[in-house]
Amino acid sequence: MKKTIFVAFMALSGLYAMGQGDSSFGIKGGLNYSANGDYFESASDVAENPDRNIGYHIGVFGKIGASKVYVRPELVFTKTKSDYENSEFDMSKLDVPVLLGLNIVGPLHVFAGPAFQYILDTKFDGIKIDDVEKDFTVGMNIGAGVNFGKLGVDLRYERGFSNNEATFINADITAVEPSRIDTRPDQLILSLSLAL
C-alpha cells in the first residue's frame, strides 16, 4: 500500500509540474460500464437493470502539446461493478492511461494508448478476494472527445491485453472447482474533464 501511495504521489507531482508550463492540467470524472462477454448481450441486460455493471472514476490529467498532436497522461481512481451469474464483483483500482492524441477539426480529437492498472481491492458479494492473478496489468484505451474551452467530454473503449483472473471457492458445497472472475473486463468509459 505504501508503494501505491508513493507511485500516486509521484504521478501527481509530475502532472502538477506539467501544468506549470505551456501544457495544461486538470480534473476529470465520469461513469464506467463493464461488459462481461458480448457487449450486445450486456446492453440488453442494462435495459432491464440500468445500474447493472455501472461504476465511476475520478482523477487528474495532464496535457503536453496543444497543437495537432498531444500526449495526455492520467491518474484515475476507478470503482467498477460487474455482474457474474447474479452475483456482484466490485473492484477498486488505480488506472494510469498514457494517451497519444490527435486534434482532428475544431473541438474534435481522437486518442489511443496504453492503460496501466493496479488493483487496490476486490470483493465478490461481500467476500474479499485475495487470490488475484496479477495486481498490475496493462491494457489499452481508444476513443474520441470534444473540447469546449476548458471543458471536455470523451468516450473511450478499454480492454486488457490479457485476462487477469481472481479465484475464489464457491460457498455451494456441490461445487468442487474454484470459480474464476476476469478482473480486466472490457469497459466503455464516459468522462467529463475540466482544465484548471
Side-chain angles (χ1 to χ4, degrees), residues 44-154:
S44 66
D45 291 338
V46 169
E48 295 172 18
N49 302 307
D51 65 340
R52 180 181 180 268
N53 290 10
I54 300 292
Y56 65 88
H57 64 276
I58 185 165
V60 294
F61 70 90
K63 188 174 178 184
I64 305 166
S67 60
K68 195 76 172 164
V69 178
Y70 64 87
V71 176
R72 179 175 163 143
E74 301 176 352
L75 176 63
V76 183
F77 171 78
T78 303
K79 185 85 169 169
T80 63
K81 181 171 65 170
S82 300
D83 186 43
Y84 285 89
E85 298 176 3
N86 299 319
S87 298
E88 282 188 5
F89 175 62
D90 294 324
M91 182 168 53
S92 301
K93 59 183 182 154
L94 283 178
D95 289 315
V96 183
V98 181
L99 307 171
L100 180 64
L102 179 65
N103 293 312
I104 301 294
V105 61
L108 179 65
H109 59 100
V110 294
F111 53 84
F116 304 96
Q117 168 185 284
Y118 181 77
I119 297 173
L120 300 172
D121 189 30
T122 55
K123 289 182 182 173
F124 187 68
D125 262 354
I127 301 168
K128 186 177 168 87
I129 301 173
D130 292 323
D131 190 10
V132 176
E133 191 175 326
K134 293 175 235 161
D135 285 336
F136 178 79
T137 59
V138 180
M140 62 156 279
N141 280 193
I142 185 167
V146 290
N147 288 335
F148 302 102
K150 294 187 172 198
L151 189 65
V153 178
D154 71 64

Side-chain angles (χ1 to χ4, degrees), residues 18-36:
M18 286 188 304
Q20 301 305 305
D22 293 334
S23 301
S24 61
F25 168 81
I27 57 174
K28 62 171 290 184
L31 299 175
N32 299 39
Y33 172 71
S34 301
N36 306 317

